[in-house]
Amino acid sequence: MIVADKKPVEEIIEQIRNHHHLLILGCNECVTVCEAGGKKEVGVLASALRMYAMKEGRDVKIDEVTLERQCDHEYLEEIRDRIDQYDAVVSLACGVGVQFMAEKYHDKPIYPGVNTTFLGATEKRGLWTERCQACGSCILASTGGICPVSRCAKRLLNGPCGGSSKGSCEINREVYCAWQLIIDRLKALGKLDEYEEICPIKDWSTDRAGGPRKVVREDVQL
Amino acid sequence: MRLNYPTDIRIVRVPCTGKVDLLHLLRAFEKGADGVCVVGCMEGDCHFNSGNLRARKRVEQAQAILDTIGIGGQRVQMYNLSSGEGTLFAQYATEMHTRIIELGPNPIRAGQREAA
């Protein structure tokens, strides 16, 4: 899932300073799971902003809505009949949702309520870690299901480097060496001979280096 | 045992402090409460294992938010005691009451008066 982290309330207060009728818009998908932008977080942020406005003696009306997703037309259309009443929207969706909102409601200021951080997994409640960089050409088949692109600090395709020590990365002792994990996993799978194969130069044109990407599936388009 | 505690404290009963959500705490302040104390069982004695530990985390979250928006994190506090410690409850209630008197009323109410 896309992992996001809550923006400091002070930053959001600064962004919305000149608006009087706001919509705090949550998303029921990834940001709900990582507890950054779901219905609960919408309620908490709205309450904090309302209290701040009341304390400052400002007349600000803040509404709360949480959509199923903010990255699909049909869900964003659900607020079309009410969007005109708001001065601005604070979207607690990931960067995708914020941008899709801005594209759809062109004349409405949309502010991000979260910092979108990475594609990751929930290791336990309150701990999310990166697993994928969406490089566009997956090599997990040859690396024992562990991604060196996202988990090796140097993105090495033939590792480990000299900075690997006792299973840890030189950038931080608490960061596992991805290549040590790959070797251990290949050993457990009885495929250590695959480690000997040199990985050829990766085609990075499918990564961000090739500019903004798109997936076109004419077989499913109507 | 006839114990006294300040009369301007309103008791809201919950089955376990684990039921108390961050939103409940914030809404209390939004509606004008001057302070909120959450009184749970002793840590390690929760009938539901971790209800009071969850409550403590939520109280800490509420404190951080209230500090950020200038309401004051000291207005919300977690206390732990056992069900047999009525004396301690009265003491905590008095302590919280004294703290709130020192802090004064919820700044939201002053802001609303100014706006009116």
mmCIF file with all atom_site columns, all heavy atoms in Angstrom, chain A residues 150-172:
data_model
loop_
_atom_site.group_PDB
_atom_site.id
_atom_site.type_symbol
_atom_site.label_atom_id
_atom_site.label_alt_id
_atom_site.label_comp_id
_atom_site.label_asym_id
_atom_site.label_entity_id
_atom_site.label_seq_id
_atom_site.pdbx_PDB_ins_code
_atom_site.Cartn_x
_atom_site.Cartn_y
_atom_site.Cartn_z
_atom_site.occupancy
_atom_site.B_iso_or_equiv
_atom_site.pdbx_formal_charge
_atom_site.auth_seq_id
_atom_site.auth_comp_id
_atom_site.auth_asym_id
_atom_site.auth_atom_id
_atom_site.pdbx_PDB_model_num
ATOM 1   N N   . SER A 1 150 ? 14.529 -1.284 -3.567  1.00 0.00 ? 150 SER A N   1
ATOM 2   C CA  . SER A 1 150 ? 13.947 -0.493 -2.486  1.00 0.00 ? 150 SER A CA  1
ATOM 3   C C   . SER A 1 150 ? 14.658 -0.692 -1.155  1.00 0.00 ? 150 SER A C   1
ATOM 4   O O   . SER A 1 150 ? 14.634 0.183  -0.300  1.00 0.00 ? 150 SER A O   1
ATOM 5   C CB  . SER A 1 150 ? 12.466 -0.832 -2.318  1.00 0.00 ? 150 SER A CB  1
ATOM 6   O OG  . SER A 1 150 ? 12.314 -2.199 -2.013  1.00 0.00 ? 150 SER A OG  1
ATOM 7   N N   . ARG A 1 151 ? 15.304 -1.836 -0.959  1.00 0.00 ? 151 ARG A N   1
ATOM 8   C CA  . ARG A 1 151 ? 15.823 -2.121 0.377   1.00 0.00 ? 151 ARG A CA  1
ATOM 9   C C   . ARG A 1 151 ? 17.336 -2.000 0.509   1.00 0.00 ? 151 ARG A C   1
ATOM 10  O O   . ARG A 1 151 ? 17.853 -2.041 1.630   1.00 0.00 ? 151 ARG A O   1
ATOM 11  C CB  . ARG A 1 151 ? 15.340 -3.499 0.820   1.00 0.00 ? 151 ARG A CB  1
ATOM 12  C CG  . ARG A 1 151 ? 13.805 -3.544 0.790   1.00 0.00 ? 151 ARG A CG  1
ATOM 13  C CD  . ARG A 1 151 ? 13.255 -4.780 1.403   1.00 0.00 ? 151 ARG A CD  1
ATOM 14  N NE  . ARG A 1 151 ? 13.581 -4.889 2.816   1.00 0.00 ? 151 ARG A NE  1
ATOM 15  C CZ  . ARG A 1 151 ? 13.255 -5.949 3.547   1.00 0.00 ? 151 ARG A CZ  1
ATOM 16  N NH1 . ARG A 1 151 ? 12.627 -6.963 3.014   1.00 0.00 ? 151 ARG A NH1 1
ATOM 17  N NH2 . ARG A 1 151 ? 13.573 -5.991 4.826   1.00 0.00 ? 151 ARG A NH2 1
ATOM 18  N N   . CYS A 1 152 ? 18.042 -1.881 -0.610  1.00 0.00 ? 152 CYS A N   1
ATOM 19  C CA  . CYS A 1 152 ? 19.489 -1.645 -0.544  1.00 0.00 ? 152 CYS A CA  1
ATOM 20  C C   . CYS A 1 152 ? 19.694 -0.151 -0.728  1.00 0.00 ? 152 CYS A C   1
ATOM 21  O O   . CYS A 1 152 ? 19.163 0.435  -1.672  1.00 0.00 ? 152 CYS A O   1
ATOM 22  C CB  . CYS A 1 152 ? 20.197 -2.427 -1.650  1.00 0.00 ? 152 CYS A CB  1
ATOM 23  S SG  . CYS A 1 152 ? 21.931 -1.965 -1.854  1.00 0.00 ? 152 CYS A SG  1
ATOM 24  N N   . ALA A 1 153 ? 20.455 0.455  0.184   1.00 0.00 ? 153 ALA A N   1
ATOM 25  C CA  . ALA A 1 153 ? 20.652 1.910  0.117   1.00 0.00 ? 153 ALA A CA  1
ATOM 26  C C   . ALA A 1 153 ? 21.279 2.329  -1.212  1.00 0.00 ? 153 ALA A C   1
ATOM 27  O O   . ALA A 1 153 ? 21.054 3.433  -1.693  1.00 0.00 ? 153 ALA A O   1
ATOM 28  C CB  . ALA A 1 153 ? 21.515 2.366  1.286   1.00 0.00 ? 153 ALA A CB  1
ATOM 29  N N   . LYS A 1 154 ? 22.083 1.420  -1.797  1.00 0.00 ? 154 LYS A N   1
ATOM 30  C CA  . LYS A 1 154 ? 22.758 1.755  -3.057  1.00 0.00 ? 154 LYS A CA  1
ATOM 31  C C   . LYS A 1 154 ? 22.018 1.199  -4.270  1.00 0.00 ? 154 LYS A C   1
ATOM 32  O O   . LYS A 1 154 ? 22.518 1.313  -5.398  1.00 0.00 ? 154 LYS A O   1
ATOM 33  C CB  . LYS A 1 154 ? 24.175 1.180  -3.043  1.00 0.00 ? 154 LYS A CB  1
ATOM 34  C CG  . LYS A 1 154 ? 25.117 1.852  -2.065  1.00 0.00 ? 154 LYS A CG  1
ATOM 35  C CD  . LYS A 1 154 ? 26.457 1.138  -2.075  1.00 0.00 ? 154 LYS A CD  1
ATOM 36  C CE  . LYS A 1 154 ? 27.466 1.845  -1.189  1.00 0.00 ? 154 LYS A CE  1
ATOM 37  N NZ  . LYS A 1 154 ? 28.676 1.029  -1.011  1.00 0.00 ? 154 LYS A NZ  1
ATOM 38  N N   . ARG A 1 155 ? 20.902 0.566  -4.054  1.00 0.00 ? 155 ARG A N   1
ATOM 39  C CA  . ARG A 1 155 ? 20.124 -0.070 -5.137  1.00 0.00 ? 155 ARG A CA  1
ATOM 40  C C   . ARG A 1 155 ? 20.995 -1.063 -5.926  1.00 0.00 ? 155 ARG A C   1
ATOM 41  O O   . ARG A 1 155 ? 20.851 -1.175 -7.152  1.00 0.00 ? 155 ARG A O   1
ATOM 42  C CB  . ARG A 1 155 ? 19.590 0.962  -6.122  1.00 0.00 ? 155 ARG A CB  1
ATOM 43  C CG  . ARG A 1 155 ? 18.484 1.838  -5.600  1.00 0.00 ? 155 ARG A CG  1
ATOM 44  C CD  . ARG A 1 155 ? 18.093 2.793  -6.700  1.00 0.00 ? 155 ARG A CD  1
ATOM 45  N NE  . ARG A 1 155 ? 16.739 3.292  -6.531  1.00 0.00 ? 155 ARG A NE  1
ATOM 46  C CZ  . ARG A 1 155 ? 16.030 3.824  -7.514  1.00 0.00 ? 155 ARG A CZ  1
ATOM 47  N NH1 . ARG A 1 155 ? 16.526 3.929  -8.715  1.00 0.00 ? 155 ARG A NH1 1
ATOM 48  N NH2 . ARG A 1 155 ? 14.811 4.245  -7.309  1.00 0.00 ? 155 ARG A NH2 1
ATOM 49  N N   . LEU A 1 156 ? 21.934 -1.732 -5.258  1.00 0.00 ? 156 LEU A N   1
ATOM 50  C CA  . LEU A 1 156 ? 22.836 -2.641 -5.968  1.00 0.00 ? 156 LEU A CA  1
ATOM 51  C C   . LEU A 1 156 ? 22.077 -3.838 -6.530  1.00 0.00 ? 156 LEU A C   1
ATOM 52  O O   . LEU A 1 156 ? 21.208 -4.396 -5.867  1.00 0.00 ? 156 LEU A O   1
ATOM 53  C CB  . LEU A 1 156 ? 23.921 -3.159 -5.025  1.00 0.00 ? 156 LEU A CB  1
ATOM 54  C CG  . LEU A 1 156 ? 25.009 -2.177 -4.606  1.00 0.00 ? 156 LEU A CG  1
ATOM 55  C CD1 . LEU A 1 156 ? 26.008 -2.893 -3.709  1.00 0.00 ? 156 LEU A CD1 1
ATOM 56  C CD2 . LEU A 1 156 ? 25.706 -1.599 -5.811  1.00 0.00 ? 156 LEU A CD2 1
ATOM 57  N N   . LEU A 1 157 ? 22.420 -4.222 -7.742  1.00 0.00 ? 157 LEU A N   1
ATOM 58  C CA  . LEU A 1 157 ? 21.776 -5.397 -8.341  1.00 0.00 ? 157 LEU A CA  1
ATOM 59  C C   . LEU A 1 157 ? 22.675 -6.626 -8.203  1.00 0.00 ? 157 LEU A C   1
ATOM 60  O O   . LEU A 1 157 ? 22.252 -7.751 -8.460  1.00 0.00 ? 157 LEU A O   1
ATOM 61  C CB  . LEU A 1 157 ? 21.458 -5.137 -9.811  1.00 0.00 ? 157 LEU A CB  1
ATOM 62  C CG  . LEU A 1 157 ? 20.459 -3.990 -10.023 1.00 0.00 ? 157 LEU A CG  1
ATOM 63  C CD1 . LEU A 1 157 ? 20.228 -3.758 -11.501 1.00 0.00 ? 157 LEU A CD1 1
ATOM 64  C CD2 . LEU A 1 157 ? 19.138 -4.270 -9.325  1.00 0.00 ? 157 LEU A CD2 1
ATOM 65  N N   . ASN A 1 158 ? 23.959 -6.412 -7.843  1.00 0.00 ? 158 ASN A N   1
ATOM 66  C CA  . ASN A 1 158 ? 24.872 -7.518 -7.575  1.00 0.00 ? 158 ASN A CA  1
ATOM 67  C C   . ASN A 1 158 ? 25.590 -7.189 -6.269  1.00 0.00 ? 158 ASN A C   1
ATOM 68  O O   . ASN A 1 158 ? 26.680 -6.650 -6.269  1.00 0.00 ? 158 ASN A O   1
ATOM 69  C CB  . ASN A 1 158 ? 25.871 -7.681 -8.727  1.00 0.00 ? 158 ASN A CB  1
ATOM 70  C CG  . ASN A 1 158 ? 25.193 -8.104 -10.015 1.00 0.00 ? 158 ASN A CG  1
ATOM 71  O OD1 . ASN A 1 158 ? 24.793 -9.244 -10.173 1.00 0.00 ? 158 ASN A OD1 1
ATOM 72  N ND2 . ASN A 1 158 ? 25.043 -7.152 -10.936 1.00 0.00 ? 158 ASN A ND2 1
ATOM 73  N N   . GLY A 1 159 ? 24.966 -7.518 -5.169  1.00 0.00 ? 159 GLY A N   1
ATOM 74  C CA  . GLY A 1 159 ? 25.525 -7.153 -3.867  1.00 0.00 ? 159 GLY A CA  1
ATOM 75  C C   . GLY A 1 159 ? 25.967 -8.386 -3.106  1.00 0.00 ? 159 GLY A C   1
ATOM 76  O O   . GLY A 1 159 ? 25.973 -9.488 -3.651  1.00 0.00 ? 159 GLY A O   1
ATOM 77  N N   . PRO A 1 160 ? 26.333 -8.222 -1.858  1.00 0.00 ? 160 PRO A N   1
ATOM 78  C CA  . PRO A 1 160 ? 26.376 -6.963 -1.113  1.00 0.00 ? 160 PRO A CA  1
ATOM 79  C C   . PRO A 1 160 ? 27.643 -6.165 -1.402  1.00 0.00 ? 160 PRO A C   1
ATOM 80  O O   . PRO A 1 160 ? 28.551 -6.665 -2.040  1.00 0.00 ? 160 PRO A O   1
ATOM 81  C CB  . PRO A 1 160 ? 26.359 -7.430 0.347   1.00 0.00 ? 160 PRO A CB  1
ATOM 82  C CG  . PRO A 1 160 ? 27.076 -8.742 0.300   1.00 0.00 ? 160 PRO A CG  1
ATOM 83  C CD  . PRO A 1 160 ? 26.701 -9.370 -1.014  1.00 0.00 ? 160 PRO A CD  1
ATOM 84  N N   . CYS A 1 161 ? 27.660 -4.940 -0.873  1.00 0.00 ? 161 CYS A N   1
ATOM 85  C CA  . CYS A 1 161 ? 28.856 -4.114 -1.020  1.00 0.00 ? 161 CYS A CA  1
ATOM 86  C C   . CYS A 1 161 ? 29.723 -4.302 0.225   1.00 0.00 ? 161 CYS A C   1
ATOM 87  O O   . CYS A 1 161 ? 29.367 -5.052 1.124   1.00 0.00 ? 161 CYS A O   1
ATOM 88  C CB  . CYS A 1 161 ? 28.464 -2.639 -1.188  1.00 0.00 ? 161 CYS A CB  1
ATOM 89  S SG  . CYS A 1 161 ? 27.748 -1.906 0.305   1.00 0.00 ? 161 CYS A SG  1
ATOM 90  N N   . GLY A 1 162 ? 30.809 -3.594 0.293   1.00 0.00 ? 162 GLY A N   1
ATOM 91  C CA  . GLY A 1 162 ? 31.719 -3.736 1.435   1.00 0.00 ? 162 GLY A CA  1
ATOM 92  C C   . GLY A 1 162 ? 31.152 -3.157 2.723   1.00 0.00 ? 162 GLY A C   1
ATOM 93  O O   . GLY A 1 162 ? 31.705 -3.360 3.802   1.00 0.00 ? 162 GLY A O   1
ATOM 94  N N   . GLY A 1 163 ? 30.055 -2.445 2.618   1.00 0.00 ? 163 GLY A N   1
ATOM 95  C CA  . GLY A 1 163 ? 29.467 -1.827 3.818   1.00 0.00 ? 163 GLY A CA  1
ATOM 96  C C   . GLY A 1 163 ? 28.553 -2.758 4.594   1.00 0.00 ? 163 GLY A C   1
ATOM 97  O O   . GLY A 1 163 ? 28.007 -2.385 5.631   1.00 0.00 ? 163 GLY A O   1
ATOM 98  N N   . SER A 1 164 ? 28.393 -3.974 4.096   1.00 0.00 ? 164 SER A N   1
ATOM 99  C CA  . SER A 1 164 ? 27.534 -4.934 4.792   1.00 0.00 ? 164 SER A CA  1
ATOM 100 C C   . SER A 1 164 ? 28.310 -5.567 5.939   1.00 0.00 ? 164 SER A C   1
ATOM 101 O O   . SER A 1 164 ? 29.401 -6.095 5.743   1.00 0.00 ? 164 SER A O   1
ATOM 102 C CB  . SER A 1 164 ? 27.085 -6.013 3.800   1.00 0.00 ? 164 SER A CB  1
ATOM 103 O OG  . SER A 1 164 ? 26.343 -6.995 4.469   1.00 0.00 ? 164 SER A OG  1
ATOM 104 N N   . SER A 1 165 ? 27.756 -5.486 7.135   1.00 0.00 ? 165 SER A N   1
ATOM 105 C CA  . SER A 1 165 ? 28.458 -6.031 8.293   1.00 0.00 ? 165 SER A CA  1
ATOM 106 C C   . SER A 1 165 ? 27.488 -6.734 9.224   1.00 0.00 ? 165 SER A C   1
ATOM 107 O O   . SER A 1 165 ? 26.535 -6.117 9.708   1.00 0.00 ? 165 SER A O   1
ATOM 108 C CB  . SER A 1 165 ? 29.165 -4.882 9.016   1.00 0.00 ? 165 SER A CB  1
ATOM 109 O OG  . SER A 1 165 ? 29.673 -5.321 10.247  1.00 0.00 ? 165 SER A OG  1
ATOM 110 N N   . LYS A 1 166 ? 27.723 -8.002 9.463   1.00 0.00 ? 166 LYS A N   1
ATOM 111 C CA  . LYS A 1 166 ? 26.876 -8.815 10.350  1.00 0.00 ? 166 LYS A CA  1
ATOM 112 C C   . LYS A 1 166 ? 25.394 -8.648 10.022  1.00 0.00 ? 166 LYS A C   1
ATOM 113 O O   . LYS A 1 166 ? 24.549 -8.490 10.911  1.00 0.00 ? 166 LYS A O   1
ATOM 114 C CB  . LYS A 1 166 ? 27.126 -8.457 11.816  1.00 0.00 ? 166 LYS A CB  1
ATOM 115 C CG  . LYS A 1 166 ? 28.537 -8.806 12.263  1.00 0.00 ? 166 LYS A CG  1
ATOM 116 C CD  . LYS A 1 166 ? 28.776 -8.366 13.693  1.00 0.00 ? 166 LYS A CD  1
ATOM 117 C CE  . LYS A 1 166 ? 30.225 -8.627 14.066  1.00 0.00 ? 166 LYS A CE  1
ATOM 118 N NZ  . LYS A 1 166 ? 30.634 -7.948 15.295  1.00 0.00 ? 166 LYS A NZ  1
ATOM 119 N N   . GLY A 1 167 ? 25.080 -8.600 8.747   1.00 0.00 ? 167 GLY A N   1
ATOM 120 C CA  . GLY A 1 167 ? 23.679 -8.524 8.327   1.00 0.00 ? 167 GLY A CA  1
ATOM 121 C C   . GLY A 1 167 ? 23.094 -7.130 8.300   1.00 0.00 ? 167 GLY A C   1
ATOM 122 O O   . GLY A 1 167 ? 21.939 -6.935 7.949   1.00 0.00 ? 167 GLY A O   1
ATOM 123 N N   . SER A 1 168 ? 23.923 -6.118 8.703   1.00 0.00 ? 168 SER A N   1
ATOM 124 C CA  . SER A 1 168 ? 23.419 -4.735 8.726   1.00 0.00 ? 168 SER A CA  1
ATOM 125 C C   . SER A 1 168 ? 24.067 -3.886 7.648   1.00 0.00 ? 168 SER A C   1
ATOM 126 O O   . SER A 1 168 ? 25.178 -4.175 7.190   1.00 0.00 ? 168 SER A O   1
ATOM 127 C CB  . SER A 1 168 ? 23.692 -4.094 10.090  1.00 0.00 ? 168 SER A CB  1
ATOM 128 O OG  . SER A 1 168 ? 22.951 -4.727 11.079  1.00 0.00 ? 168 SER A OG  1
ATOM 129 N N   . CYS A 1 169 ? 23.379 -2.822 7.314   1.00 0.00 ? 169 CYS A N   1
ATOM 130 C CA  . CYS A 1 169 ? 23.874 -1.873 6.319   1.00 0.00 ? 169 CYS A CA  1
ATOM 131 C C   . CYS A 1 169 ? 24.740 -0.816 6.996   1.00 0.00 ? 169 CYS A C   1
ATOM 132 O O   . CYS A 1 169 ? 24.504 -0.469 8.160   1.00 0.00 ? 169 CYS A O   1
ATOM 133 C CB  . CYS A 1 169 ? 22.679 -1.207 5.631   1.00 0.00 ? 169 CYS A CB  1
ATOM 134 S SG  . CYS A 1 169 ? 23.128 0.068  4.446   1.00 0.00 ? 169 CYS A SG  1
ATOM 135 N N   . GLU A 1 170 ? 25.720 -0.297 6.257   1.00 0.00 ? 170 GLU A N   1
ATOM 136 C CA  . GLU A 1 170 ? 26.626 0.694  6.856   1.00 0.00 ? 170 GLU A CA  1
ATOM 137 C C   . GLU A 1 170 ? 25.924 2.033  7.129   1.00 0.00 ? 170 GLU A C   1
ATOM 138 O O   . GLU A 1 170 ? 26.402 2.837  7.918   1.00 0.00 ? 170 GLU A O   1
ATOM 139 C CB  . GLU A 1 170 ? 27.844 0.920  5.969   1.00 0.00 ? 170 GLU A CB  1
ATOM 140 C CG  . GLU A 1 170 ? 27.510 1.530  4.619   1.00 0.00 ? 170 GLU A CG  1
ATOM 141 C CD  . GLU A 1 170 ? 28.736 1.678  3.727   1.00 0.00 ? 170 GLU A CD  1
ATOM 142 O OE1 . GLU A 1 170 ? 29.846 1.720  4.263   1.00 0.00 ? 170 GLU A OE1 1
ATOM 143 O OE2 . GLU A 1 170 ? 28.548 1.749  2.504   1.00 0.00 ? 170 GLU A OE2 1
ATOM 144 N N   . ILE A 1 171 ? 24.792 2.274  6.463   1.00 0.00 ? 171 ILE A N   1
ATOM 145 C CA  . ILE A 1 171 ? 24.141 3.579  6.699   1.00 0.00 ? 171 ILE A CA  1
ATOM 146 C C   . ILE A 1 171 ? 23.516 3.634  8.090   1.00 0.00 ? 171 ILE A C   1
ATOM 147 O O   . ILE A 1 171 ? 23.345 4.690  8.672   1.00 0.00 ? 171 ILE A O   1
ATOM 148 C CB  . ILE A 1 171 ? 23.065 3.920  5.637   1.00 0.00 ? 171 ILE A CB  1
ATOM 149 C CG1 . ILE A 1 171 ? 21.920 2.908  5.647   1.00 0.00 ? 171 ILE A CG1 1
ATOM 150 C CG2 . ILE A 1 171 ? 23.664 4.064  4.260   1.00 0.00 ? 171 ILE A CG2 1
ATOM 151 C CD1 . ILE A 1 171 ? 20.656 3.439  5.023   1.00 0.00 ? 171 ILE A CD1 1
ATOM 152 N N   . ASN A 1 172 ? 23.151 2.455  8.610   1.00 0.00 ? 172 ASN A N   1
ATOM 153 C CA  . ASN A 1 172 ? 22.503 2.407  9.922   1.00 0.00 ? 172 ASN A CA  1
ATOM 154 C C   . ASN A 1 172 ? 22.477 0.950  10.371  1.00 0.00 ? 172 ASN A C   1
ATOM 155 O O   . ASN A 1 172 ? 22.038 0.081  9.634   1.00 0.00 ? 172 ASN A O   1
ATOM 156 C CB  . ASN A 1 172 ? 21.073 2.962  9.787   1.00 0.00 ? 172 ASN A CB  1
ATOM 157 C CG  . ASN A 1 172 ? 20.344 3.044  11.112  1.00 0.00 ? 172 ASN A CG  1
ATOM 158 O OD1 . ASN A 1 172 ? 20.690 2.358  12.071  1.00 0.00 ? 172 ASN A OD1 1
ATOM 159 N ND2 . ASN A 1 172 ? 19.322 3.887  11.161  1.00 0.00 ? 172 ASN A ND2 1
#
